[in-house]
Amino acid sequence: MAVGRIIKALSGFYYVQSKEGIYACKGRGVFRNKKITPLVGDFVEFDIRNEDEGYIMKVKERSNELVRPPIANIDQVCIVNAAVSPDFSPLLLDRFLVLVESKHIQPLIFITKMDLVPSQEVDRLKEYQAIYKNLGYEVKLLSSKEPEWITEIMPYFKDKVSVFAGQSGVGKSSLLNLLDPDLYLETAEISKSLGRGKHTTRHVELLAIGEGLVADTPGFSVLEFSDLEAEDLGVCFPEIRTQMQDCKFRGCLHDKEPKCAVKEAVANGSIAAFRYNHYLRFLEEIKSRKPRY
């Protein structure tokens, strides 16, 4: 039995990379009965049938997984935001951060298209960069006119499986093309009428970049907290996580309760008001979610 990692799933085949090469594999019929769906990133045991084909016999236990995009065993998520076109959105960034934190995956923040930002807006973006850095996040401001940043961020990918995530049109594929010009990933212009990018990436695939593996994933714009409970939301905000132990009541949701350490921290400025407002917005969203039966 051979062992490998699924690096691409396409048209019913799972492409498994092992020491011997890449094999186009089918899943066992029993997987469907057991509701097992192999994912890109999975470590699997497979039976080689001929020189480049095989059957996946077992999917090994995952350290984590994402549903959209469907991928497993991720070390870090590179959240790509555009500075302009589409405009930088702290709300959207925080939505991505909460989803990544809830899966216990390390986030890395890239803000692209800095060369297109009017000079008066640069300072505002640097203020956001400082706020997120103080929370323990790596934040890189990237400009296609200053390619030296490529060598600066390459070490982040070494020996890691990274996922690039972000709404369509923020430049994920363009960024990957800059990191490895041999990829020539299909890119598309922003649709001016919609203010969104076209979905140019149609499947999930792990690509070898910078001594690691990077997944280029379909752009997506609907990010729901379907698996997150209200009492777990605060843990996904590092600044709330550190304060919540000082709240008077156990199970404090930091919105209406008295003697809440988090609300005090917002009042004295040690928690950014915009982050707390996003927390309240997400909390309301989770509370108003329809129950699933």
Side-chain angles (χ1 to χ4, degrees), residues 12 62 169:
R62 296 164 181 155

Side-chain angles (χ1 to χ4, degrees), residues 32-149:
R32 190 173 292 122
N33 301 336
K34 292 185 175 178
K35 296 186 176 171
I36 297 171
T37 304
L39 296 177
V40 169
D42 270 333
F43 291 102
V44 298
E45 292 179 7
F46 67 103
D47 192 8
I48 297 171
R49 294 299 162 95
N50 58 45
E51 67 177 61
D52 60 359
E53 291 184 354
Y55 268 89
I56 293 174
M57 307 305 287
K58 182 183 178 184
V59 176
K60 299 200 170 193
E61 190 175 347
R62 296 164 181 155
S63 58
N64 55 49
E65 66 181 90
L66 295 176
V67 178
R68 284 176 35 186
I71 188 167
N73 302 314
I74 307 137
D75 296 309
Q76 64 185 5
V77 175
C78 306
I79 304 171
V80 185
N81 306 263
V84 291
S85 187
D87 288 342
F88 176 68
S89 167
L91 178 67
L92 190 59
L93 172 56
D94 285 345
R95 192 174 276 273
F96 272 110
L97 284 170
V98 166
L99 288 166
V100 173
E101 289 271 7
S102 72
K103 299 291 184 184
H104 309 289
I105 304 171
Q106 180 69 35
L108 181 61
I109 301 167
F110 294 144
I111 300 177
T112 60
K113 307 185 186 181
M114 285 300 293
D115 49 302
L116 303 178
V117 179
S119 55
Q120 65 270 22
E121 282 288 299
V122 172
D123 288 344
R124 186 179 73 92
L125 286 163
K126 285 185 175 175
E127 283 173 17
Y128 279 120
Q129 180 187 35
I131 289 167
Y132 285 103
K133 276 193 164 183
N134 284 339
L135 299 176
Y137 296 125
E138 283 290 343
V139 186
K140 297 293 178 188
L141 306 180
L142 309 179
S143 164
S144 59
K145 298 250 176 83
E146 298 168 10
E148 58 270 17
W149 57 260

